[in-house]
Amino acid sequence: MKQVTIAICNYNYERYLAAAIDSALAQDYPATTVMVVDDGSTDGSRAIIGSYGDRVLSLCKKNGGQVSAYNHAIASLTTEYVIFLDSDDVLYPSAVTEVMRFFDSGEWAKVQFRLDVMDNQGALTGAYVPNSEPPHDCGRLLRRGWLYPSPPASGNAYRVSALKQIFPVPEEGVNRYGADFYAIYGVALAGRIATVSKSLGGYRVHNAGSETVSFANSEQLTKAPRAFNMRWAILRNIAKVRLDIELPATFLDFSHEKATFCSSVYRATLFTRWHWMLRNSRGYLHTIIANPFWSLKKKLGTLALSSLCLVPYSPLSDFAVRYIANPLARRRVAGR
């Protein structure tokens, strides 16, 4: 039986850490090892990790950021496959079994799966991510600059040999976070991607109710575009030096453009909304119209919703922006 590691990278998440570890230990795939990398926590995390004894492999290090924790974990792996589980997320008991069925069926670099969205208390919201599936050969589109639809970090299982073609990643300065960016997109340059079309875990979203455009946990809406541009530049250099692959200077991604769109028009004046749509929306509209992962129906629906930001009635405009940006807002409408 092929060996799999569930690697949990933790920093000061004692409130959620035990649930993550318990879900990893509860896997019904016997050849599963649980590794916890603690990145210099100052809360009670290390006591929680210690309470599991030899049921988990504990790697404690000085604080260096998420990229440093990934680098350390990948360098320590001895198994052929790994799932990186965020310490505030959980896996369902059959997660490893399900992804290994795919790995056994072909030479996949990564198997990704949906995650059910949980609120801060762990209650399911009825939403899930992602809402689109990429083709198996999404590396071909990535070479043209298109970032493919992927779940957050916890929804990805990797072939370790593919990850080691990308990692270690530079961890100095501002590049402390966003390790999952390099793992998710980097491995698509090393092999094919498979998708499990059902949820195998839970993704916890903090402070992101249906009345806000914020959804991702890692970064503020206004900072995300700048961070993605920096990471793309680093990934381009890694691809060129290690894989002899030349990526384009800029990338194409609806989620990235959506962050710019939302920060520009949400709760803005009518003049500001019209000005942005007329003068600055080219990239946003292009990632809708030319999106290779979306159906025509989804493209037309997103364009129609986006046009509502131009109406004089600001509550309707703001609702449309929330609906585009935040899956929780969509579930609220569906549940009415």
Side-chain angles (χ1 to χ4, degrees):
M1 179 174 281
K2 296 176 180 177
Q3 303 292 308
V4 182
T5 297
I6 298 175
I8 303 171
C9 294
N10 174 71
Y11 176 67
N12 284 349
Y13 259 170
E14 64 173 337
R15 179 178 176 184
Y16 311 110
L17 180 57
I21 295 175
D22 288 344
S23 76
L25 291 172
Q27 293 301 303
D28 60 16
Y29 187 82
T32 302
T33 299
V34 180
M35 170 195 292
V36 184
V37 179
D38 187 77
D39 189 41
S41 293
T42 57
D43 61 0
S45 292
R46 293 196 175 182
I48 292 172
I49 297 168
S51 70
Y52 286 89
D54 60 6
R55 290 194 293 162
V56 304
L57 172 61
S58 174
L59 301 177
C60 295
K61 59 184 288 295
K62 294 181 180 179
N63 179 251
Q66 187 193 36
V67 171
S68 173
Y70 265 57
N71 284 342
H72 192 70
I74 291 169
S76 304
L77 288 170
T78 59
T79 58
E80 189 176 355
Y81 302 96
V82 64
I83 296 175
F84 275 95
L85 175 63
D86 283 350
S87 56
D88 57 340
D89 295 339
V90 296
L91 293 174
Y92 299 158
S94 64
V96 176
T97 296
E98 294 284 352
V99 299
M100 289 310 299
R101 287 176 183 165
F102 277 79
F103 278 124
D104 288 339
S105 70
E107 291 297 315
W108 306 106
K110 189 188 88 164
V111 175
Q112 66 179 49
F113 47 90
R114 292 190 329 206
L115 295 172
D116 291 325
V117 178
M118 308 183 298
D119 65 17
N120 195 50
Q121 304 302 315
L124 296 178
T125 64
Y128 61 82
V129 288
N131 290 287
S132 301
E133 294 185 7
H136 297 328
D137 63 341
C138 54
R140 173 181 56 84
L141 292 167
L142 187 64
R143 287 170 171 82
R144 289 165 43 194
W146 283 99
L147 301 187
Y148 66 91
S150 173
S154 302
N156 301 278
Y158 303 95
R159 185 182 295 272
V160 173
S161 59
L163 275 180
K164 287 187 174 181
Q165 294 183 56
I166 307 301
F167 287 82
V169 169
E171 57 192 58
E172 299 80 13
V174 295
N175 198 43
R176 288 170 55 89
Y177 305 103
D180 50 333
F181 178 93
Y182 303 105
I184 288 168
Y185 301 114
V187 295
L189 300 173
R192 298 191 305 157
I193 307 300
T195 301
V196 180
S197 299
K198 63 179 178 180
S199 297
L200 300 180
Y203 171 58
R204 194 184 308 268
V205 176
H206 305 276
N207 304 316
S210 60
E211 297 302 318
T212 176
V213 293
S214 177
F215 181 70
N217 291 323
S218 57
E219 288 154 330
Q220 296 178 5
L221 193 66
T222 54
K223 293 182 179 180
R226 185 170 67 252
F228 266 51
N229 285 323
M230 177 198 68
R231 289 169 194 151
W232 179 253
I234 293 172
L235 182 60
R236 284 187 71 221
N237 184 64
I238 291 172
K240 183 175 182 179
V241 172
R242 301 182 192 170
L243 304 176
D244 195 28
I245 293 174
E246 192 73 44
L247 295 176
T250 58
F251 64 90
L252 298 163
D253 177 52
F254 176 71
S255 294
H256 169 265
E257 295 292 343
K258 179 177 69 177
T260 303
F261 165 73
C262 293
S263 62
S264 301
V265 306
Y266 187 59
R267 293 180 175 172
T269 65
L270 181 63
F271 173 81
T272 299
R273 287 181 268 138
W274 271 89
H275 183 270
W276 189 88
M277 288 295 290
L278 291 173
R279 300 290 299 272
N280 305 109
S281 62
R282 181 177 179 180
Y284 174 73
L285 295 175
H286 179 70
T287 58
I288 298 173
I289 296 169
N291 198 307
F293 310 110
W294 287 9
S295 66
L296 177 61
K297 179 180 179 181
K298 185 169 183 178
K299 292 178 182 181
L300 293 175
T302 306
L303 288 171
L305 282 167
S306 300
S307 69
L308 292 178
C309 79
L310 301 176
V311 301
Y313 185 56
S314 58
L316 177 59
S317 170
D318 291 340
F319 168 77
V321 176
R322 287 196 302 272
Y323 192 93
I324 292 170
N326 189 345
L328 302 183
R330 304 168 206 168
R331 296 303 305 177
R332 183 183 180 189
V333 172
R336 284 180 178 173

